[in-house]
């Protein structure tokens, strides 16, 4: 097996791991296998092709490298903040706020499944491997990806910081980044530990999903709160510490710059600085102590309680309404059951649902701060409801993955002549199960705020979303539903960003149509025709 660079770096800390009672040799071997497996994921449906194996292995590596390059481009956002020199608490709060937003989002959506993985236990616990060693291997596995993303995001800012502010700023920035990464990973693990301790069975799996949605909403709202910490007076940024700001964590990591470089010994800044250093270290120490309990409670995820039969009849009836062929109805019901029962699917998709719920309202509340309600209710801010469609690419990309991916041989065994009905049935289930509930909830709230005058616009929004589903399908890598194994699909996320811009084009056309008499109605007729044609033709051209 390949000896990865990350493992060679890890070797430098061998003594530390041995001191905390981790079997370093075993942990390194487990990590080496995990990193090797990350590069060998292959859909079962293509497992007969050696050419495909080589292609997909290279594609995974290239995708992850490409995603790091995209993160590198994102890092240019930090450059103006790093170049400023007069208000470190302001500029570094935004830098750490954005970094934490990106990392927490990535961690709960892409790596929670790694942290809560229980397959290791079935394989490795039959060998003489301690729980602490196995759990630390998981922790380091996630940390390797998280640090790769972090340094892709901060590589350019670190170089600019060294040139602009000197070596002390550079070292301080680097140290804070490491502490922040440690804090983000550990605090997420401790949160999962808390949930595992108090819940069991199916309820535990549901609670984990709810917590992920709550986390996503908290992150989005927290980042908005960060923007409101500072007042702009005569082109100067003014920060007045208050008690509740102790809960805004990016402030902790920004304060050491103010204390050490500007020698500002305000009591609040000193306390923020102490929290930035002490809390990640104490959290990590607590995590180390609770590792055996974490692994023990993780076993609860294996406790399958028979779920009660609930909506089978309703789904059957619904499939007869929205699907037109027998094959389509079958895969509608199949996809609905898979999305309902696949724990890994929920772990990866539900956090983005949290963003979909909260993002339309963030723009709305931003405007409420500076405008009276009467102005808002007569405005076109209701178009912010389009933000809930930003989760489509992420959710649709996950539909091809499954824990039971080996059953994909059925696609070949069944007398299926073409795959269009499979895709149509699956994506109709996706719309009914995931898109419609969120859209209906937000539409009702928006009608309450903006009145019934927006109903034609909401119909147009929904039709645009249906077309956006087809766009996402055409743009995303193709694979039959639930036919590939879950892994760290971080590299694939890179394609999501350009797809999102296509939605903004539809929003722009909708916005322009509102300035013309009957513009929205004409757009509804046009997009309805496009939807009918697109849903008939788009799925016929694959695999």
């Amino acid at each position: 097996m390949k000896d990865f660079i990350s493992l060679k770096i890890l070797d430098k800390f061998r003594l530390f791991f041995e001191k905390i009672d981790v079997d370093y040799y075993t942990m390194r071997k487990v990590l080496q296998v995990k990193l090797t497996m990350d590069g060998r994921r292959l859909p079962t449906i293509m497992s007969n092709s050696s050419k495909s194996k080589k292609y997909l292995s290279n594609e995974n590596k290239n995708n992850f490298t490409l995603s790091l390059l995209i993160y590198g481009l994102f890092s240019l956002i930090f450059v103006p903040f790093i170049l400023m020199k007069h208000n470190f608490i302001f500029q570094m709060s935004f830098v750490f706020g954005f970094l934490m937003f990106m990392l927490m989002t990535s961690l709960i959506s892409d790596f929670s499944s790694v942290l809560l993985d229980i397959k290791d236990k079935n394989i490795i616990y039959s060998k003489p491997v301690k729980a602490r060693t196995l759990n630390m291997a998981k922790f380091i596995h996630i940390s390797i990806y998280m640090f790769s993303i972090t340094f892709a995001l901060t590589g350019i800012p670190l170089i600019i910081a060294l040139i602009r502010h000197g070596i002390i700023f550079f070292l301080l920035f680097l140290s804070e980044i490491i502490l922040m990464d440690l804090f983000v990973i550990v605090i997420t693990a401790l949160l999962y530990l808390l949930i595992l301790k108090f819940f069991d069975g199916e309820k535990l799996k549901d609670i984990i999903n709810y917590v992920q949605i709550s986390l996503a909403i908290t992150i989005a709202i927290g980042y908005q709160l960060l923007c409101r910490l500072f007042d702009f007076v005569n082109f100067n940024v003014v920060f007045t510490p208050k008690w509740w700001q102790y809960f805004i964590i990016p402030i902790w990591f920004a304060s050491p710059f103010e204390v050490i470089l500007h020698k500002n010994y305000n009591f609040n800044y000193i306390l923020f600085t102490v929290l930035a250093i002490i809390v990640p270290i104490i959290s990590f120490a607590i995590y180390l102590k609770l590792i055996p309990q974490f692994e023990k409670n993780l076993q609860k995820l294996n406790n399958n309680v028979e779920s009660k039969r609930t909506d089978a009849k309703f789904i059957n009836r619904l499939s007869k309404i929205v699907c037109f062929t027998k094959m389509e109805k079958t895969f509608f019901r199949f996809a609905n059951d898979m999305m309902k029962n696949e724990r890994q699917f929920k772990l990866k998709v539900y956090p983005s649902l949290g963003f979909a719920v909260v993002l339309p309202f963030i723009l709305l509340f931003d405007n409420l701060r500076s405008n009276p309600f009467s102005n808002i209710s007569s405005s076109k801010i209701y178009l912010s409801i389009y933000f809930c469609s930003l989760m489509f690419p992420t959710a649709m990309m996950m539909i091809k993955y499954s824990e039971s991916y080996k059953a994909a041989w059925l696609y070949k065994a069944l007398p299926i002549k073409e795959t269009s009905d499979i895709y149509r049935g699956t994506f109709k289930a996706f719309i009914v199960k995931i898109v419609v509930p969120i859209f209906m909830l937000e539409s009702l709230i928006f009608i309450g705020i903006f009145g019934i005058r927006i109903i034609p616009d909401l119909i147009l929004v929904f039709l645009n979303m249906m077309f956006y589903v087809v766009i996402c399908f055409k743009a995303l890598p193709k694979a039959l539903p639930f036919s590939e194994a879950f892994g760290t699909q971080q590299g694939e996320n890179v394609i999501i960003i350009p797809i999102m811009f296509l939605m903004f084009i539809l929003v722009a056309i909708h916005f322009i149509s509102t300035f013309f008499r009957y513009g929205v109605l004409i757009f509804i007729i046009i997009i309805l025709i496009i939807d009918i044609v697109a849903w008939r033709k788009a799925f016929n051209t694959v695999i």
Side-chain angles (χ1 to χ4, degrees):
M1 278 187 291
K2 182 180 174 183
D3 198 13
F4 296 89
I5 295 172
S6 50
L7 296 180
K8 290 178 182 174
I9 296 171
L10 200 66
D11 288 340
K12 310 290 180 193
F13 300 92
R14 177 176 185 146
L15 280 177
F16 168 76
F17 289 109
E18 288 176 349
K19 276 197 171 184
I20 59 172
D21 196 26
V22 170
D23 181 348
Y24 182 77
Y25 176 79
T26 306
M27 184 188 79
R28 195 183 192 283
K29 277 289 175 197
V30 172
L31 271 172
Q32 197 172 15
V33 171
K34 282 176 178 285
L35 292 172
T36 304
M37 291 296 290
D38 286 345
R40 288 183 181 173
R41 289 188 304 277
L42 180 69
T44 303
I45 201 74
M46 300 175 72
S47 58
N48 292 333
S49 166
S50 58
K51 190 176 175 182
S52 300
K53 286 180 184 179
K54 187 178 177 183
Y55 170 76
L56 286 172
S57 178
N58 289 334
E59 189 184 43
N60 279 335
K61 289 172 191 169
N62 293 337
N63 277 343
F64 186 68
T65 306
L66 189 58
S67 75
L68 294 182
L69 288 174
I70 297 288
Y71 280 124
L73 286 176
F74 270 124
S75 72
L76 297 177
I77 295 169
F78 301 136
V79 172
F81 292 100
I82 298 293
L83 287 173
M84 296 179 197
K85 202 168 184 176
H86 302 295
N87 198 326
F88 287 144
I89 191 76
F90 165 70
Q91 61 201 73
M92 297 313 291
S93 290
F94 272 86
V95 169
F96 282 107
F98 189 76
L99 274 174
M100 289 188 77
F101 177 82
M102 296 290 286
L103 291 173
M104 282 293 282
T105 306
S106 183
L107 182 63
I108 59 174
S109 60
D110 293 330
F111 299 106
S112 289
S113 53
V114 181
L115 201 61
L116 298 172
D117 187 17
I118 47 179
K119 285 181 290 187
D120 288 351
K121 299 184 79 167
N122 302 328
I123 302 168
I124 300 176
Y125 271 13
S126 59
K127 314 291 183 298
V129 178
K130 291 187 288 188
R132 182 180 289 269
T133 302
L134 181 58
N135 192 280
M136 189 53 65
K138 272 187 203 173
F139 185 87
I140 299 294
H141 185 207
I142 295 169
S143 300
I144 288 169
Y145 283 102
M146 295 298 286
F147 275 104
S148 300
I149 294 169
T150 306
F151 284 108
L153 278 168
T154 56
I156 297 172
L158 275 167
I159 294 167
I160 291 172
L162 180 63
I163 298 167
R164 170 71 170 153
H165 300 292
I167 187 71
I168 297 176
F169 187 102
F170 172 82
L171 291 174
L172 196 55
F173 192 15
L174 184 63
S175 310
E176 295 280 291
I177 287 168
I178 294 169
L179 283 171
M180 181 199 66
D181 263 14
L182 186 68
F183 176 76
V184 166
I185 301 170
V186 167
I187 212 71
T188 307
L190 288 175
L191 185 61
Y192 283 133
L193 173 64
L194 194 68
I195 302 165
L196 288 167
K197 184 175 174 60
F198 291 105
F199 296 96
D200 200 352
E202 289 300 314
K203 194 173 183 182
L204 167 65
K205 296 167 188 175
D206 292 338
I207 291 289
I208 287 173
N209 295 140
Y210 296 145
V211 167
Q212 284 186 313
I213 294 174
S214 306
L215 262 178
I217 293 172
T218 306
I219 293 165
I221 294 173
Y223 194 70
Q224 292 300 311
L225 279 176
L226 182 64
C227 304
R228 287 156 182 70
L229 292 179
F230 303 94
D231 298 315
F232 294 87
V233 181
N234 296 329
F235 297 101
N236 289 318
V237 182
V238 178
F239 174 68
T240 310
K242 298 181 181 70
W243 67 268
W244 57 269
Q245 289 163 353
Y246 283 92
F247 296 100
I248 311 295
I249 295 163
I251 292 282
W252 300 358
F253 294 99
S255 292
F257 295 90
E258 200 66 31
V259 172
I260 295 171
L261 298 171
H262 278 170
K263 303 192 186 306
N264 185 341
Y265 300 125
N266 178 295
F267 173 76
N268 289 293
Y269 288 150
I270 292 173
L271 200 51
F272 284 141
T273 303
V274 171
L275 288 172
I277 299 166
I278 296 295
V279 172
I281 294 170
I282 291 179
S283 304
F284 186 62
I286 293 171
Y287 175 70
L288 283 178
K289 193 172 178 61
L290 295 177
I291 279 177
Q293 199 175 346
F294 185 93
E295 286 299 315
K296 184 182 170 188
N297 289 335
L298 212 53
Q299 191 59 36
K300 289 182 180 180
L301 288 171
N302 265 340
N303 298 342
N304 293 316
V305 178
E306 191 179 346
S307 58
K308 51 186 178 182
R309 187 181 176 85
T310 51
D311 54 355
K313 286 183 181 175
F314 172 72
I315 294 298
N316 271 335
R317 285 177 192 157
L318 202 57
S319 69
K320 290 173 185 171
I321 297 170
V322 299
C323 300
F324 304 109
T325 66
K326 192 176 176 183
M327 184 72 74
E328 209 178 302
K329 289 172 192 169
T330 303
F331 278 94
F332 177 89
R333 292 191 295 270
F334 168 69
N336 182 74
D337 286 345
M338 290 298 285
M339 284 186 272
K340 180 181 172 185
N341 298 317
E342 272 272 350
R343 185 170 60 86
Q344 292 271 29
F345 177 83
K346 290 180 182 176
L347 284 174
K348 287 179 175 290
V349 171
Y350 277 34
S352 61
L353 301 188
F355 287 119
V357 170
V358 79
L359 280 178
F361 297 105
I362 285 177
L363 185 62
L364 186 65
F365 289 129
D366 267 351
N367 279 275
L368 272 174
R369 291 179 74 227
S370 52
N371 293 295
F373 182 77
S374 56
N375 286 0
I376 298 292
S377 60
S378 59
S379 71
K380 294 172 182 171
I381 297 170
Y382 56 82
L383 291 178
S384 65
I385 197 171
Y386 274 106
F387 276 114
C388 69
S389 65
L390 294 181
M391 58 90 177
F392 285 12
T394 306
M396 288 179 66
M397 192 170 67
M398 285 299 133
I399 287 178
K400 67 180 177 181
Y401 297 108
S402 170
E403 290 171 287
S404 310
Y405 68 98
K406 289 182 179 174
W409 61 268
L410 273 170
Y411 288 120
K412 283 191 172 180
L414 291 172
I416 300 173
K417 291 180 181 174
E418 57 179 45
T419 54
S420 55
D421 282 343
I422 297 176
Y423 287 110
R424 250 194 302 271
T426 301
F427 289 119
K428 282 180 181 177
F430 163 73
I431 290 166
V432 168
K433 183 155 187 69
I434 293 180
V435 177
V436 170
I438 293 175
F439 181 74
M440 290 297 289
L441 173 70
E442 299 198 338
S443 294
L444 288 173
I445 296 172
F446 273 50
I447 288 172
I449 296 171
F450 296 96
I452 56 171
R453 70 181 176 92
I454 68 166
I455 289 177
D457 290 276
L458 292 176
I459 294 170
L460 180 53
V461 171
F462 186 75
L463 290 173
N464 273 333
M465 285 180 176
M466 295 306 97
F467 184 50
Y468 188 52
V469 169
V470 177
I471 292 174
C472 292
F473 170 75
K474 296 298 281 183
L476 290 169
K478 307 289 183 300
L480 287 167
F482 314 107
S483 64
E484 295 188 11
F486 282 107
T488 48
Q489 293 88 14
Q490 184 61 39
E492 293 183 350
N493 291 343
V494 70
I495 197 170
I496 291 174
I497 297 162
I499 297 175
M500 286 179 176
F501 280 108
L502 296 174
M503 190 67 203
F504 290 126
I505 294 172
L506 292 173
V507 179
I509 298 171
H510 184 162
F511 180 69
I512 292 167
S513 72
T514 60
F515 289 99
F516 298 94
R517 195 175 182 187
Y518 307 120
V520 172
L521 292 178
I522 292 169
F523 193 13
I524 285 176
I525 295 168
I526 293 171
I527 198 68
L528 181 61
I529 295 168
I530 293 174
D531 276 346
I532 292 169
V533 175
W535 273 81
R536 279 186 181 172
K537 302 288 182 186
F539 302 100
N540 293 333
T541 57
V542 294
I543 302 183

